[in-house]
């Protein structure tokens, strides 16, 4: 884990990395990696500002454990389930804003539109699918209960895509700033903006897959293969929490590994207005 000193003294970590890039050799490799982890987890790459802990990569998993667990608990009343979707999208709106590409400012209208759109889509998708399942005479009561625990995935995936597209449509129209390898600006690119929005949407789907599939699948397997829940009914909640936690700690590294926050684009694909100095340019796609 990251030493608490590094997580608390972020300015020191930023200075260590800057000194290393300038040629300093006074820090060990272990110290530099700890500083890099702390900066990546809490510092916005565009603004250099500290991201509030619940909306940072460092705090994303702990903040999501109770939210995800609530959404996948079986037997939840439809109204309560809709409230959990609203809670989740409220958190996502804050996370999207705090981890956006900040080379172009996001307006209040875009933020509100993204939030309302995401909440509407999440609740609508979950409600429609729930009604389709519960009203089907061909599905047994046990299977309906099992399928209901998987409903959060399509609701969250579609809402996340809607949220990102609506909240970041300014990037689509205005472009984002791209940088040369030495950190100098290479111009504003609309192609990079489209790439950023698309890969961020895909990141959320990859991230959500183990989070919302692993717990209900694991609970269903335990229920069918063992008598644990029949003998000890109260174990269902801690097992679900444990599987939700596992899903988060699998999904987040997987998504970040597949789609890193700093994206690379070939200079040959840029608009003529951009002035790259090398073969590739770099930009913050967001999280």
């Amino acid at each position: 884990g990251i030493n608490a000193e590094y997580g608390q003294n972020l300015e020191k970590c930023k200075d260590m990395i800057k000194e290393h890039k300038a040629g300093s050799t006074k820090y060990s490799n272990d110290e530099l990696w700890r500083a890099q982890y702390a900066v990546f987890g809490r510092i916005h790459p565009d603004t250099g500002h500290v991201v509030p802990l619940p909306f940072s990569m460092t705090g994303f998993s702990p903040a999501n454990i109770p939210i995800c667990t609530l959404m996948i608990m079986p037997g939840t009343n439809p109204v309560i389930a809709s409230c959990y979707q609203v809670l989740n999208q409220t958190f996502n709106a804050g996370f999207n804003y705090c981890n956006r590409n900040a080379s172009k400012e996001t307006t209040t209208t875009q933020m509100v539109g993204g939030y309302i759109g995401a909440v509407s889509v999440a609740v609508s998708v979950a409600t429609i699918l729930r009604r389709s399942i519960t009203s089907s005479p061909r599905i047994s009561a046990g299977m309906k209960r099992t399928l209901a625990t998987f409903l959060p995935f399509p609701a969250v995936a579609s809402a996340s895509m809607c949220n990102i597209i609506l909240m970041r449509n300014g990037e689509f129209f205005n472009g984002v700033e791209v940088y040369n390898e030495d950190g100098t600006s290479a111009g504003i690119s609309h192609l990079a903006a489209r790439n950023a929005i698309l890969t961020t949407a895909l990141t959320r789907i990859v991230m959500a897959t183990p989070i919302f599939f692993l717990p209900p699948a694991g609970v269903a397997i335990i229920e069918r293969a063992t008598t644990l829940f029949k003998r000890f009914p109260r174990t269902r909640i801690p097992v679900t929490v444990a599987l939700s936690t596992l899903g988060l700690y699998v999904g987040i590294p997987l998504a970040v590994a597949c789609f890193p926050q700093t994206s690379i684009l070939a200079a040959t694909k840029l608009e003529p207005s951009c002035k790259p100095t090398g073969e590739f340019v770099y930009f913050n796609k967001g999280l």
Side-chain angles (χ1 to χ4, degrees):
I2 300 172
N3 191 298
E5 177 187 353
Y6 290 86
Q8 294 170 2
N9 198 342
L10 294 170
E11 290 301 322
K12 176 184 175 182
C13 294
K14 290 167 64 177
D15 291 340
M16 288 171 62
I17 294 171
K18 286 180 181 178
E19 290 177 30
H20 174 70
K21 290 181 177 179
S24 173
T25 58
K26 67 179 182 179
Y27 299 111
S28 68
N29 192 52
D30 181 63
E31 288 176 319
L32 289 170
W33 272 113
R34 288 176 181 272
Q36 178 65 26
Y37 289 147
V39 169
F40 175 78
R42 292 296 308 278
I43 302 295
H44 194 287
D46 290 335
T47 65
H49 297 157
V50 177
V51 176
L53 184 59
F55 302 120
S56 67
M57 286 303 294
T58 302
F60 185 83
S61 292
N64 263 279
I65 290 172
I67 298 174
C68 294
T69 302
L70 288 171
M71 285 196 292
I72 61 179
M73 288 300 294
T76 305
N77 180 285
V79 176
I80 300 299
S82 296
C83 291
Y84 293 155
Q85 289 290 345
V86 173
L87 173 63
N88 182 54
Q89 291 309 319
T90 301
F91 176 82
N92 285 345
F95 184 82
N96 287 345
Y97 177 76
C98 291
N99 295 279
R100 71 200 184 284
N101 181 304
S103 62
K104 293 291 183 179
E105 192 52 55
T106 302
T107 66
T108 302
T109 301
Q110 290 167 344
M111 287 190 289
V112 174
Y115 174 70
I116 294 175
V119 169
S120 300
V121 169
V123 174
S124 298
V125 170
T127 301
I128 292 171
L129 290 178
R130 185 183 295 273
R131 286 181 177 177
S132 299
I133 292 172
T134 55
S135 62
S136 176
R138 299 180 180 179
I139 304 176
S140 65
M143 182 57 67
K144 287 179 180 179
R145 179 178 175 177
T146 299
L147 290 175
T149 61
F150 288 93
L151 289 182
F153 175 72
V156 168
S158 55
S160 294
M161 293 186 67
C162 176
N163 192 320
I164 291 165
I165 292 171
L166 290 175
M167 197 167 177
R168 297 178 58 178
N169 67 77
E171 296 174 31
F172 185 85
F173 293 109
N174 301 323
V176 297
E177 193 164 9
V178 293
Y179 301 91
N180 295 307
E181 189 171 358
D182 60 2
T184 58
S185 176
I188 301 295
S189 172
H190 290 79
L191 180 64
R194 290 194 291 270
N195 180 285
I197 293 171
L198 174 61
T199 53
T200 301
L202 292 175
T203 299
R204 297 303 176 82
I205 294 175
V206 172
M207 188 184 297
T209 301
I211 294 172
F212 291 106
F213 268 94
L214 184 60
V219 168
I221 291 172
I222 293 172
E223 201 165 32
R224 289 173 179 269
T226 73
T227 59
L228 177 66
F229 296 146
K230 290 182 179 179
R231 294 174 60 192
F232 308 102
R234 293 183 180 180
T235 60
R236 181 183 290 273
I237 293 178
V239 167
T240 303
V241 172
L243 290 172
S244 296
T245 304
L246 178 61
L248 280 162
Y249 281 93
V250 169
I252 294 173
L254 177 64
V256 173
C258 291
F259 305 101
Q261 185 171 10
T262 300
S263 294
I264 303 174
L265 192 64
T268 54
K269 295 182 178 180
L270 292 173
E271 299 90 331
S273 58
C274 295
K275 305 298 180 184
T277 58
E279 295 183 16
F280 299 97
V281 293
Y282 304 82
F283 60 95
N284 171 31
K285 77 166 181 62
L287 287 173

